[in-house]
Amino acid sequence: KPIHVVFSDVDGTLAHYPALVQEYSKKGKKLLNLPPSSTGMCGVLSLETLSLCSQIRRMPVTNNENHDSFLEAPKSVQSVNANKKSNAAGKTVKFVIISGMRTRTLLQRIPFLPSADAYCCEGGGRIFYQIPVGKPKNGETTSIIDDSGEEADVENKTMGTALPEIYESRNEEGAVQGHFRLQEDMEWRKIMGHVSAAGPDGYDGIVDIQKRDGLLWSFARKLVKMGWVIDYSGYGTCFRVHRGKQLHKAKQSKEIFDVELPNLKPAGLACSTNLGCVDFYPDRSGKKNW
């Protein structure tokens, strides 16, 4: 079957950390330094990775049945683009980034990450779409063709108001060829914001968990009462428990942290291990569901 969508994680997939940096440098890889995450982690991303991800978004769906040759050399990709008008379906492969990072970290990293059709953060709890924009013309902002060759649907009523920040989109050579804003999927936000999930109160990242409604935050308060140290700063639809930040050494043990802690979650919530931490989120979210 042809590939329609490619989903990619960030940490450990697109971006890598100090243990591998020297190895990449020895191979002559050109690296891009990412801004530090909220936990202080500083990763790098290869310019070759940016190029390959851009190639994915240019690949016509009807031309990729042979998965072994899905990513061709840049020269062949140029050939595919030249023949794109002859592609009956006219559809290109969608590239989606999905990560456990908090929303504010995603927004800081957007200028350094590969251009994507959608960005999913907090493990999939929040979804943002790339909405290409052009320079104001006669007092209005017009849409442009992005590097996937398709025009964005800026009238989609399931999306909220575009975030004010304007980002640059680049082609596989790294040249700026357009600009875009992010718009959140409000239908998905409505689902995640239900009281049986994450509730509506955490999206601005300011409200204390004692005042947040929703199953997720009710469970978070329970963990705090049990002596667990949790990280919810900047999260609206999930929270994280760091092994190394627990005040009681017993809670850092494999038996308690890796086994007992995940089993404390109530029905309606799910969890997964991410970067040595345990993330909790509504069970309709999470990378495993993508």
Side-chain angles (χ1 to χ4, degrees):
K1 294 181 179 181
I3 296 174
H4 291 267
V5 183
V6 173
F7 295 92
S8 176
D9 196 355
V10 175
D11 296 318
T13 303
L14 299 177
H16 300 280
Y17 291 87
L20 293 174
V21 171
Q22 291 185 347
E23 177 184 340
Y24 289 155
S25 298
K26 290 179 181 178
K27 294 180 179 179
K29 302 286 187 182
K30 294 182 179 180
L31 304 177
L32 182 67
N33 292 309
L34 298 177
S37 69
S38 297
T39 56
M41 297 181 66
C42 299
V44 297
L45 192 147
S46 168
L47 294 185
E48 182 180 2
T49 297
L50 294 178
S51 175
L52 292 173
C53 292
S54 181
Q55 290 177 39
I56 289 175
R57 296 185 71 218
R58 290 174 174 269
M59 187 69 67
V61 170
T62 56
N63 287 7
N64 66 43
E65 285 87 348
N66 183 1
H67 297 176
D68 292 335
S69 60
F70 180 57
L71 283 179
E72 307 266 342
K75 190 173 183 179
S76 64
V77 171
Q78 293 172 7
S79 175
V80 167
N81 291 332
N83 296 325
K84 202 167 194 179
K85 292 183 179 179
S86 64
N87 177 20
K91 297 293 184 180
T92 53
V93 173
K94 301 301 181 185
F95 182 66
V96 178
I97 289 176
I98 176 168
S99 170
M101 73 178 79
R102 65 199 84 207
T103 301
R104 69 184 182 201
T105 301
L106 169 67
L107 298 181
Q108 292 171 350
R109 287 184 171 186
I110 287 288
F112 305 89
L113 294 174
S115 185
D117 296 282
Y119 302 85
C120 309
C121 57
E122 302 190 19
R126 300 187 72 174
I127 304 173
F128 297 90
Y129 299 107
Q130 184 185 123
I131 306 299
V133 296
K135 294 182 179 179
K137 188 175 183 180
N138 297 326
E140 295 181 350
T141 299
T142 58
S143 63
I144 62 172
I145 304 300
D146 70 357
D147 71 357
S148 70
E150 295 184 3
E151 190 169 338
D153 177 13
V154 296
E155 297 298 328
N156 191 328
K157 297 184 185 304
T158 67
M159 296 188 289
T161 303
L163 300 182
E165 186 73 25
I166 295 179
Y167 303 97
E168 295 176 339
S169 61
R170 300 173 182 269
N171 59 22
E172 62 262 31
E173 285 79 34
V176 176
Q177 64 172 30
H179 299 80
F180 66 92
R181 285 191 172 103
L182 295 180
Q183 278 188 311
E184 185 164 8
D185 187 322
M186 298 306 289
E187 286 295 317
W188 183 245
R189 177 164 168 161
K190 183 177 179 180
I191 293 172
M192 288 293 102
H194 194 272
V195 292
S196 63
D201 305 316
Y203 286 92
D204 59 11
I206 300 175
V207 179
D208 187 88
I209 60 169
Q210 299 300 329
K211 299 179 180 179
R212 294 187 186 186
D213 199 3
L215 177 64
L216 179 70
W217 305 114
S218 176
F219 175 58
R221 290 190 290 271
K222 175 182 176 180
L223 290 184
V224 171
K225 287 183 179 180
M226 295 174 64
W228 290 94
V229 177
I230 70 169
D231 177 6
Y232 67 90
S233 177
Y235 288 109
T237 60
C238 75
F239 67 86
R240 177 167 290 182
V241 182
H242 299 260
R243 185 194 301 271
K245 292 186 178 182
Q246 301 312 307
L247 301 178
H248 303 288
K249 291 296 182 181
K251 292 186 181 299
Q252 299 181 20
S253 68
K254 182 177 181 62
E255 294 77 13
I256 296 179
F257 191 87
D258 297 337
V259 180
E260 290 188 19
L261 174 60
N263 288 332
L264 291 174
K265 67 182 184 303
L269 298 184
C271 67
S272 58
T273 300
N274 186 26
L275 300 175
C277 306
V278 178
D279 290 347
F280 291 94
Y281 41 80
D283 61 8
R284 294 189 65 177
S285 182
K287 298 176 188 177
K288 69 181 187 309
N289 290 330
W290 290 75

